[in-house]
Amino acid sequence: MSSHRYVAEYDDEDYQEYGEYEQPKDPRRPYEDVESYEPYEPFDDDLGAEDPRAGRGVRRVLSGAGGLILTPVALGLLAWGGLRQQMLVQATLSTQRDVFSIGLLVGGGILLLAVGLLGALSATGPILGGLVWGVAPGVATIAVPEWGFRLVKYLPQNDVTYGVTSWLFIGGLLATGFLLIGAGLASRLARRRR
């Protein structure tokens, strides 16, 4: 007698036919054996959506224009109100209050706050306003004081100009410019972290 092993090959269909062998179903795919399905086609329900980068240019222009326009007005109001208050206190040697100068100071502060809030649109506004109207003239005056006097000559000679001159030479414009640039950079960094 020959001793060899007989290996039977069975087809899965035979096993299923007789019920001896049944493949377990994967619970994650309950409809795996269903063949009548339509292929999935992604549906884009927002066909008219614009590119988000398209609105960035408009926001930058609005913020930059607001920073360039509002910053000198705010600085002028603060300088004028501060000069009036200083002259009143020094002239009378008292602590009287001038409602108009207080209003100028508050108005200038609110406008500077608005310039800082322009950073919510784009950091361009606070950075441009601080650089053009604060840092550039402040650094120029520190480096070459004669430039500060020449700059002041181009302005109309009134109380606002005298107030701005005093802010220019004591470093107030420089400090305000750096604060605005810092507000713009902070808003840009916060936007990038999101």
Side-chain angles (χ1 to χ4, degrees):
M1 279 182 122
S2 67
S3 61
H4 71 276
R5 291 185 182 177
Y6 176 73
V7 178
E9 294 183 5
Y10 296 100
D11 195 9
D12 285 345
E13 291 178 3
D14 294 337
Y15 276 36
Q16 288 179 359
E17 188 176 322
Y18 295 110
E20 295 177 11
Y21 176 77
E22 192 172 317
Q23 291 181 346
K25 290 188 177 181
D26 187 359
R28 294 172 290 179
R29 300 182 185 187
Y31 304 109
E32 184 176 74
D33 54 343
V34 177
E35 294 181 11
S36 61
Y37 68 91
E38 295 182 18
Y40 171 75
E41 294 180 14
F43 177 70
D44 189 10
D45 59 346
D46 194 11
L47 298 176
E50 296 180 7
D51 186 7
R53 292 174 289 176
R56 274 192 236 167
V58 174
R59 290 195 303 254
R60 284 182 181 158
V61 169
L62 288 175
S63 179
L68 287 174
I69 293 168
L70 293 178
T71 304
V73 175
L75 293 174
L77 291 176
L78 286 168
W80 187 16
L83 179 71
R84 284 180 56 97
Q85 191 72 16
Q86 179 187 7
M87 287 174 25
L88 175 71
V89 170
Q90 285 179 347
T92 59
L93 296 175
S94 68
T95 56
Q96 295 179 359
R97 290 174 183 84
D98 180 22
V99 177
F100 184 65
S101 26
I102 292 171
L104 290 171
L105 290 169
V106 170
I110 290 172
L111 284 179
L112 273 184
L113 176 66
V115 173
L117 289 175
L118 285 173
L121 283 177
S122 169
T124 307
I127 290 174
L128 267 181
L131 186 64
V132 170
W133 299 110
V135 174
V139 168
T141 302
I142 290 171
V144 184
E146 294 84 21
W147 290 356
F149 287 113
R150 288 182 191 159
L151 180 67
V152 170
K153 285 182 185 178
Y154 292 116
L155 298 174
Q157 300 303 310
N158 55 25
D159 285 347
V160 177
T161 303
Y162 297 135
V164 169
T165 304
S166 108
W167 265 49
L168 182 62
F169 284 101
I170 65 170
L173 290 181
L174 182 67
T176 305
F178 277 121
L179 283 172
L180 286 175
I181 290 173
L185 292 176
S187 70
R188 179 173 286 173
L189 290 174
R191 197 174 294 116
R192 282 188 181 172
R193 287 185 181 175
R194 287 187 217 160

